[in-house]
């Protein structure tokens, strides 16, 4: 299988090498070259990785005429505007990319690599995922796309998309499974000690990643929320504090944060609960009160939904 590995400038080397390692181990275990891969740049024959490593003799995408599979690796995220500018490199290549995808059996993309592929227009009718912290980027620049914020990877038609670098491994194992079967994919996972995939990106979410916007009044409100978790933080209270209507508050949160106000409050409370579990010996019910939950069962239910474990299980795993 001829695999093109598309690497933009500022590519994350860990993501690129992880993809190659999976393909290499698959060939080793099969004792034959199942996969033949080629590093492909967007425009030039040299690509510099985010930490300075240089990949030379890369074939520009425009010079490729055929392939069986494509893997779009992500670049380091430097902000929404920078990523959008990087995506512009795709515009002259749209027709060529479409032709390559038509003849490909499967197309994989992870993290910011999904945005490059999206710019070509081929994902318009596809259910997909990307890194959880890119939700506002897609809402702004690709509002028509159906992008999940939670899934580790999604397979729709011939496209397999995933979140950030550590999501590449379950995506690649799924790809191996599709080509060579589940047992072979398990063998590859064993050789590389790849743990069982989490079902969701929710456990990786952190409040600070939702504070990278320029709306100062909204940032002040977010700071207030994190300092007042035991208080009443209902929608009317927050709207009144920002001196806007509830409808305007929701719209501003969705635009700049990518979450609803209630979802942000919930994440802030759960994140603080996790910090208290790690750093204190407080009882669970005391922690619940400190972060605004009077009902411990409700806190535990939402904690498990976010982090995949109950508070008791999470504490036990943290303390070994």
């Amino acid at each position: 299988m001829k695999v093109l590995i598309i690497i933009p400038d500022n590519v994350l080397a860990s993501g690129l090498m992880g993809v190659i390692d999976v393909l290499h181990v698959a060939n080793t275990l099969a004792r034959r070259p199942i996969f033949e891969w080629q590093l492909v740049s967007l425009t030039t024959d040299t690509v510099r990785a985010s930490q300075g490593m240089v990949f030379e003799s890369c074939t520009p995408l425009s010079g490729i005429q055929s392939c069986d599979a494509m893997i779009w690796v992500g670049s380091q995220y430097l902000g929404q505007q920078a990523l959008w500018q990087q995506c512009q490199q795709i515009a002259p290549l749209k027709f060529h990319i479409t032709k390559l995808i038509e003849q490909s059996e499967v197309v994989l993309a992870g993290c910011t690599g999904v945005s490059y592929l999206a710019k070509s227009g081929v994902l318009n009718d596809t259910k997909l995922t990307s890194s959880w912290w890119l939700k506002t980027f897609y809402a702004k620049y690709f509002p028509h796309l159906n992008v999940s914020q939670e899934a580790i990877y999604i397979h729709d038609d011939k496209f397999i998309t995933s979140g950030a670098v550590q999501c590449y491994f379950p995506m690649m194992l799924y790809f191996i499974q599709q080509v060579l079967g589940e047992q072979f994919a398990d063998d590859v996972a064993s050789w590389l000690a790849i743990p069982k995939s989490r079902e969701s990106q929710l456990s990786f979410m952190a409040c600070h990643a939702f504070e990278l916007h320029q709306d100062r009044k909204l940032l002040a409100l977010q700071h207030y929320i994190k300092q007042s978790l035991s208080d009443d933080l209902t929608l009317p209270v927050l709207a009144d504090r920002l001196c806007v209507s509830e409808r305007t508050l929701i719209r501003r949160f969705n635009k700049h944060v990518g979450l609803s106000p209630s979802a942000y409050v919930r994440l802030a409370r759960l994140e603080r609960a996790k910090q208290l579990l790690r750093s204190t010996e407080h009882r669970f019910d005391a922690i619940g009160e400190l972060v605004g939950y009077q009902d411990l069962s409700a806190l535990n239910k939402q904690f498990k939904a976010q982090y995949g474990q109950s508070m008791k299980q999470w504490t036990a795993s943290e303390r070994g």
Side-chain angles (χ1 to χ4, degrees):
M1 175 177 276
K2 181 181 178 182
V3 180
L4 303 183
I5 304 179
I6 316 298
I7 53 173
D9 200 38
N10 223 24
V11 64
L12 284 169
S14 57
L16 172 59
M17 300 314 295
V19 165
I20 292 175
D21 283 341
V22 171
L23 297 177
H24 174 70
V25 169
N27 282 350
T28 300
L29 294 180
R31 298 184 180 181
R32 58 192 178 94
I34 300 290
F35 303 103
E36 298 179 4
W37 58 89
Q38 181 178 4
L39 298 186
V40 178
S41 67
L42 293 179
T43 54
T44 63
D45 59 0
T46 299
V47 173
R48 185 177 297 274
S50 58
Q51 89 293 46
M53 184 182 297
V54 176
F55 298 95
E56 298 180 336
S57 302
C58 299
T59 303
L61 186 57
S62 59
I64 301 296
Q65 300 304 317
S66 65
C67 65
D68 300 311
M70 304 174 74
I71 303 175
W72 292 70
V73 182
S75 58
Q76 182 178 7
Y77 182 66
L78 300 174
Q80 289 191 9
Q81 187 173 0
L83 178 56
W84 180 243
Q85 290 175 346
Q86 291 168 330
C87 287
Q88 303 313 307
Q89 300 175 76
I90 299 299
L93 299 168
K94 283 185 177 182
F95 180 73
H96 189 65
I97 291 171
T98 301
K99 286 184 63 178
L100 287 173
I101 288 176
E102 286 176 352
Q103 61 183 264
S104 299
E105 297 176 25
V106 61
V107 179
L108 296 83
C111 194
T112 57
V114 178
S115 64
Y116 291 99
L117 190 56
K119 181 60 178 174
S120 71
V122 299
L123 297 178
N124 290 349
D125 299 316
T126 305
K127 184 179 180 181
L128 55 97
T129 190
S130 185
S131 299
W132 58 268
W133 37 266
L134 282 173
K135 184 172 183 179
T136 53
F137 172 81
Y138 287 102
K140 180 176 181 179
Y141 295 104
F142 299 102
H144 57 287
L145 292 184
N146 182 12
V147 185
S148 165
Q149 191 180 20
E150 294 83 23
I152 295 292
Y153 67 84
I154 287 178
H155 185 189
D156 186 13
D157 193 22
K158 64 169 61 179
F159 298 100
I160 308 174
T161 54
S162 82
V165 170
Q166 290 303 313
C167 298
Y168 288 14
F169 288 103
M171 176 180 70
M172 288 300 296
L173 288 178
Y174 178 77
F175 169 55
I176 297 297
Q177 177 183 320
Q178 298 303 298
V179 177
L180 297 168
E182 184 174 359
Q183 182 58 58
F184 194 91
D186 286 345
D187 291 343
V188 172
S190 296
W191 271 67
L192 290 172
I194 300 175
K196 290 290 185 180
S197 171
R198 303 191 189 196
E199 295 181 356
S200 171
Q201 296 186 62
L202 289 176
S203 61
F204 297 110
M205 288 186 177
C207 283
H208 65 81
F210 296 104
E211 298 160 9
L212 302 178
H213 55 82
Q214 303 301 316
D215 188 326
R216 293 184 179 181
K217 291 184 178 181
L218 193 56
L219 285 170
L221 181 62
Q222 289 175 269
H223 178 75
Y224 168 77
I225 289 171
K226 293 196 294 184
Q227 299 301 314
S228 311
L229 295 176
S230 62
D231 296 346
D232 184 12
L233 297 174
T234 61
L235 192 61
V237 169
L238 296 178
D240 184 64
R241 188 168 184 86
L242 200 61
C243 300
V244 298
S245 68
E246 294 178 25
R247 184 175 180 180
T248 297
L249 177 68
I250 293 172
R251 185 168 61 247
R252 259 164 96 167
F253 257 88
N254 286 333
K255 177 181 178 180
H256 296 290
V257 180
L259 298 175
S260 67
S262 59
Y264 180 82
V265 169
R266 180 171 59 251
L267 178 61
R269 283 174 163 157
L270 294 175
E271 189 173 275
R272 181 57 178 156
K274 187 171 64 171
Q275 293 169 352
L276 291 170
L277 288 173
R278 180 183 290 122
S279 61
T280 73
E281 297 294 331
H282 293 333
R283 290 164 51 93
F284 291 166
D285 55 354
I287 289 176
E289 292 180 5
L290 287 172
V291 299
Y293 282 89
Q294 302 304 315
D295 183 351
L296 179 59
S297 63
L299 170 59
N300 203 47
K301 181 179 180 180
Q302 292 195 7
F303 191 95
K304 187 171 184 178
Q306 187 76 28
Y307 300 114
Q309 297 176 302
S310 67
M311 295 169 67
K312 183 177 181 179
Q313 291 170 329
W314 189 90
T315 303
S317 64
E318 280 291 297
R319 298 176 180 176

